[in-house]
Amino acid sequence: MSASIDANIRHVKETTGESQDIVIREFRFGAEQKLAACLFYTEGLTDTNALQQFVLEPLMVFLKEKDWTDYRIPPEVWFPFIERSLLPIGGVSQIENFEELFTFMLSGEVIFLMQGSKKGYRVSLKSWKDRGVPEAEGVVRGPRETFSETMRTNTALLRRKINNPRLRLEGKTIGKITKTQLSIMFIDGLVDDNVLNEVRKRLDRIDIDGILESGYIEELIQDEVYSPFPTIHHTEKPDVVAAALLEGRVAIIVDGTPIVLIVPALFNQFFQAAEDYYERSLISSLIRILRFICLFISLLAPAVYIAVTTFHQEMLPTPLLVNLMVQREAVPFPAFVEAFMMELMFEILREAGVRLPKAVGQTVSFVGALVVGQAAVEAGIVSAGMVIVVAITAISSFVIPAYNMSIALRILRFILMMIAAGFGLYGVMLGIIVIVLHLCSIRSFGIPYMTPYGPYISSEFKDSVVRMPHWMMDKRPTSLVSEDVVRGNNSPPSKEKAKGKSK
């Protein structure tokens, strides 16, 4: 470090990109305020009340002028005096270089530097914010913490996970009336400059009187206005955002909401969960394959049932066909009307379960579905086979981790049901082709939505339908990161056989 405070401040600002949560407090103390000093700390990770009480007040208020009678004494002599007599803090130690400065500062500790000294002190004043428990994104294994409605708490949660000065934070104010604070977080050197500039440009273009939730921002900056598929990912978990930042993505944090936006968002990303990376690769891969199977069941099951029972009965085995015909004998409606009524009823029950209080919401939705389904079969309104198909479809939609992707599939399910009622399996195949073409035409902040499937990028298949072990995923997605692609250089675990002595 330099003996000049100005040079040290300049270096810290350049290294951190003048992030808004990095606070630099310059002050003077001693007789006639001749001694210059500076404090560095990360807002949200540091106890500012303790900083005021145990650091600033002893130096600026309680220090007597008689303590500073000879200013020709080098500052190195005054440092021990300050540590022994003026800082009533348990954790005080000396630092000598910028690497220690950034490590401790980004961990929540306060850095104290004086003019004329190449050394400084770190003062332990960490302050951990209370964490919330995620409600929408439950996990079996992984951190159980969530963002809050406070901006600085959310940025602090990410600082705790990524302790690096390359993590940058840019602030904006949006909303003519509400003046809502918004922050962009990214890792310098990993993020694509084109994506970052596009995010800045779209945010600067927003002209609205108020922002009350991140959903406002999502709708104003999304790529596809009329597409059912989401092009912006959102989450309430800090570990998910930290992982996205390490892949070169950009996080958008809005004050007043615990939901953080992540861009760019690709199709594959909506079928990945945080715990995929915390479990072993074999287990995670099997669960991912199950999710993609549930994707096709949720999207196609009712449409295929309608098409087969209406137009293609010859595809069914004779015993199964006879059973279905016997069930449908007393049903007065065609298969499409039957499926539409059951799907609509289930959507109503699901929405009612969401809006009701937690204690009774799930009970009402599940019990209601059972009661309504059984009563509808006994009344001859629908067949038992249709109830089974609708139930499997609904359960499969719950397997998809992203709620907004699940909604998109629910919308397309009704469209495919109508096409199947008119054109059979030929219509279903045509609908799938149209959906695939639409997905391939979408971009999220300039990145093709179906990456790595189209365009085909072989290196990114290690984290697609299956997840390879961490030691094999040694590179970041090349579609998102142009520089600093290498994550690490780990070798596969070796087997060490225990050697015993034979008698």
Side-chain angles (χ1 to χ4, degrees):
M1 295 188 296
S2 171
S4 170
I5 285 184
D6 293 335
N8 292 331
I9 292 175
R10 189 162 51 250
H11 181 78
V12 170
K13 286 184 177 180
E14 291 175 356
T15 305
T16 60
E18 299 189 16
S19 294
Q20 281 198 331
D21 59 339
I22 304 299
V23 180
I24 302 174
R25 173 72 163 88
E26 298 181 70
F27 62 97
R28 291 182 173 272
F29 61 98
E32 301 180 7
Q33 306 294 303
K34 290 184 178 179
L35 289 176
C38 184
L39 297 174
F40 302 89
Y41 65 93
T42 304
E43 189 177 1
L45 295 179
T46 302
D47 189 342
T48 54
N49 292 328
L51 173 65
Q52 174 71 26
Q53 182 177 358
F54 299 123
V55 178
L56 289 177
E57 285 188 0
L59 290 175
M60 301 178 67
V61 178
F62 300 113
L63 188 64
K64 305 300 181 183
E65 293 197 9
K66 65 181 181 179
D67 295 326
W68 308 94
T69 56
D70 190 355
Y71 297 106
R72 297 179 182 177
I73 299 178
E76 284 79 3
V77 178
W78 293 112
F79 263 146
F81 168 74
I82 292 174
E83 180 184 2
R84 292 193 306 266
S85 306
L86 296 177
L87 298 180
I89 303 293
V92 179
S93 62
Q94 197 172 86
I95 62 172
E96 299 181 353
N97 53 59
F98 281 113
E99 183 179 355
E100 292 180 330
L101 184 149
F102 288 119
T103 300
F104 293 127
M105 179 183 70
L106 297 175
S107 298
E109 302 189 8
V110 178
I111 305 300
F112 173 69
L113 302 181
M114 282 184 63
Q115 179 69 30
S117 174
K118 293 184 178 181
K119 298 181 181 180
Y121 278 108
R122 70 175 183 92
V123 184
S124 183
L125 292 174
K126 296 180 180 179
S127 175
W128 307 123
K129 299 293 183 181
D130 294 333
R131 66 186 180 121
V133 178
E135 297 182 1
E137 302 176 58
V139 293
V140 177
R141 179 178 180 177
R144 284 161 176 78
E145 61 181 359
T146 181
F147 291 114
S148 69
E149 282 75 15
T150 305
M151 166 77 74
R152 200 50 70 215
T153 300
N154 295 340
T155 58
L157 288 171
L158 293 174
R159 284 284 183 189
R160 286 177 57 187
K161 294 188 177 297
I162 305 178
N163 185 351
N164 195 294
R166 292 167 61 188
L167 178 62
R168 303 293 171 80
L169 189 149
E170 295 181 3
K172 293 181 180 293
T173 301
I174 299 180
K176 298 176 183 177
I177 298 177
T178 59
K179 305 293 184 182
T180 304
Q181 297 297 316
L182 178 146
S183 293
I184 304 172
M185 293 195 78
F186 59 91
I187 298 179
D188 185 45
L190 294 185
V191 66
D192 189 337
D193 291 336
N194 295 325
V195 173
L196 181 59
N197 292 332
E198 184 66 23
V199 172
R200 291 167 176 162
K201 184 171 67 175
R202 295 188 188 186
L203 291 174
D204 292 337
R205 227 170 27 218
I206 295 176
D207 184 11
I208 193 172
D209 60 347
I211 298 291
L212 301 179
E213 211 271 341
S214 58
Y216 286 61
I217 302 294
E218 179 179 0
E219 193 167 356
L220 290 169
I221 66 173
Q222 64 183 347
D223 286 77
E224 299 293 329
V225 178
Y226 300 108
S227 173
F229 294 101
T231 55
I232 296 176
H233 190 228
H234 60 75
T235 181
E236 61 177 352
K237 290 175 62 59
D239 57 318
V240 175
V241 178
L245 293 174
L246 290 171
E247 289 185 341
R249 290 182 165 90
V250 180
I252 303 173
I253 306 172
V254 181
D255 192 20
T257 174
I259 305 300
V260 174
L261 307 179
I262 301 173
V263 296
L266 309 181
F267 179 79
N268 205 46
Q269 186 178 352
F270 294 94
F271 297 91
Q272 300 173 352
E275 59 187 317
D276 290 353
Y277 302 93
Y278 308 144
E279 292 286 356
R280 291 181 295 124
S281 61
L282 177 62
I283 298 173
S284 301
S285 299
L286 292 175
I287 294 176
R288 278 195 185 176
I289 293 172
L290 178 63
R291 290 195 195 112
F292 280 96
I293 294 174
C294 291
L295 158 66
F296 290 104
I297 293 175
S298 175
L299 183 63
L300 300 174
V304 171
Y305 180 85
I306 292 170
V308 170
T309 56
T310 305
F311 296 101
H312 311 284
Q313 295 91 345
E314 67 278 2
M315 296 180 64
L316 298 174
T318 303
L320 177 59
L321 179 61
V322 172
N323 287 335
L324 290 176
M325 292 301 103
V326 170
Q327 294 175 17
R328 290 190 47 77
E329 186 177 2
V331 177
F333 305 109
F336 168 70
V337 177
E338 186 183 358
F340 186 84
M341 288 192 302
M342 286 302 299
E343 286 286 350
L344 182 62
M345 182 56 63
F346 189 84
E347 294 297 334
I348 293 173
L349 288 171
R350 173 155 45 185
E351 194 65 21
V354 172
R355 305 304 163 198
L356 285 171
K358 230 182 230 184
V360 296
Q362 294 182 349
T363 304
V364 169
S365 59
F366 283 106
V367 174
L370 290 172
V371 172
V372 171
Q374 183 66 27
V377 172
E378 293 180 356
I381 299 175
V382 296
S383 62
M386 180 59 72
V387 174
I388 294 173
V389 171
V390 172
I392 293 175
T393 303
I395 294 172
S396 298
S397 66
F398 291 134
V399 178
I400 298 172
Y403 179 69
N404 48 0
M405 178 59 75
S406 178
I407 293 177
L409 297 179
R410 285 154 59 184
I411 295 171
L412 294 174
R413 186 192 310 156
F414 282 95
I415 297 175
L416 289 175
M417 285 166 53
M418 290 186 285
I419 297 175
F423 303 98
L425 288 178
Y426 300 104
V428 174
M429 291 303 299
L430 180 62
I432 294 174
I433 292 173
V434 172
I435 292 172
V436 172
L437 290 175
H438 173 67
L439 288 171
C440 292
S441 67
I442 296 176
R443 288 179 175 266
S444 177
F445 289 81
I447 308 298
Y449 194 59
M450 289 301 290
T451 304
Y453 312 108
Y456 175 77
I457 303 177
S458 59
S459 61
E460 296 188 22
F461 270 82
K462 296 179 181 179
D463 189 19
S464 56
V465 179
V466 297
R467 182 186 76 77
M468 294 299 180
H470 286 292
W471 55 268
M472 290 186 66
M473 295 193 299
D474 54 349
K475 294 183 179 179
R476 297 183 175 87
T478 55
S479 59
L480 300 173
V481 181
S482 57
E483 300 177 1
D484 197 6
V485 177
V486 178
R487 293 180 186 268
N489 187 20
N490 295 306
S491 57
S494 59
K495 293 182 179 180
E496 296 183 2
K497 297 181 180 180
K499 297 179 180 180
K501 294 182 178 181
S502 58
K503 295 183 179 178

